[in-house]
Amino acid sequence: MERTFLMLKPDAIQRGLVGEIISRFEKKGFKLVAMKMIQVDRTLAEEHYKEHRGKAFFEPTVQYIMSSPVVAMVWEGKNIVALAREMMGATNPANANPGSIRGSYGMDISRNVIHGSDSVESAEREIALYFTPQEILAYTKAGEEWLSE
Ligand code: CDP
Ligand code: MG
């Protein structure tokens, strides 16, 4: 099954949005297969955002995700990479659809609440940055037979 890496950023934890955001993915039908709360260090933050090295927002973004604990998760589901990005909304909450997560809970690009992988390849890279294979759990979830044919 396709997997993605989602991270609730420091503002999501500080603002008490953890449950609400996780609930959206649960209700969609996606399956949580790994989760941990961590304090991201500089090495990990820079590796996470390395595609943006050299851009003006690189250092502020690295500072942002290091500023307070985050919740790192792996979720599974059909076409989950693209669907989770749709649920998150545009990078800038100011432009994000108001029904999306960023559109519902944010207003400024510097505090956009959640990270989600942008491709299957990025998902696998990011999952490996945050989790060991043993931390990703295989299990049968009740009701899976009601999610697709
Ligand atoms: O997170 P997403 O893939 O939607 O956007 P990105 O273009 O890969 O940028 C990564 C992160 O950098 C964003 O989620 C923002 O936290 C931050 N960023 C920013 O603060 N200002 C920008 N102009 C662009 C990105
Ligand atoms: Mg990105």
Side-chain angles (χ1 to χ4, degrees):
M1 186 56 80
E2 189 170 297
R3 308 191 294 182
T4 197
F5 173 73
L6 299 179
M7 194 178 77
L8 306 181
K9 293 180 174 181
D11 47 331
I13 287 80
Q14 291 288 342
R15 295 175 56 217
L17 299 171
V18 171
E20 286 206 36
I21 296 171
I22 289 177
S23 185
R24 289 189 179 213
F25 294 102
E26 288 185 305
K27 289 171 184 167
K28 180 75 174 175
F30 295 143
K31 181 178 179 180
L32 182 60
V33 295
M35 175 163 74
K36 59 183 165 188
M37 191 172 187
I38 55 165
Q39 179 77 48
V40 175
D41 66 15
R42 175 161 289 274
T43 306
L44 182 55
E46 290 191 354
E47 184 62 25
H48 180 131
Y49 283 121
K50 70 175 181 189
E51 65 170 308
H52 298 304
R53 197 184 290 275
K55 298 178 188 169
F57 65 83
F58 177 74
E59 181 57 26
T61 301
V62 163
Q63 290 282 352
Y64 166 37
I65 68 157
M66 289 167 50
S67 63
S68 183
V70 302
V71 174
M73 301 175 285
V74 181
W75 288 80
E76 273 183 13
K78 192 174 179 184
N79 198 24
I80 192 170
V81 170
L83 287 175
R85 293 280 293 189
E86 286 288 314
M87 291 170 67
M88 287 162 51
T91 302
N92 188 346
N95 308 326
N97 183 302
S100 67
I101 293 165
R102 285 162 166 172
S104 294
Y105 303 127
M107 64 178 118
D108 189 277
I109 193 164
S110 65
R111 295 290 181 268
N112 64 354
V113 182
I114 185 168
H115 166 84
S117 310
D118 65 5
S119 67
V120 170
E121 298 68 41
S122 315
E124 291 306 315
R125 185 186 85 87
E126 291 166 4
I127 288 168
L129 276 181
Y130 285 84
F131 292 94
T132 65
Q134 295 71 32
E135 288 174 320
I136 301 166
L137 306 176
Y139 65 101
T140 303
K141 185 162 178 267
E144 275 171 351
E145 69 276 25
W146 296 103
L147 293 171
S148 63
E149 190 62 59

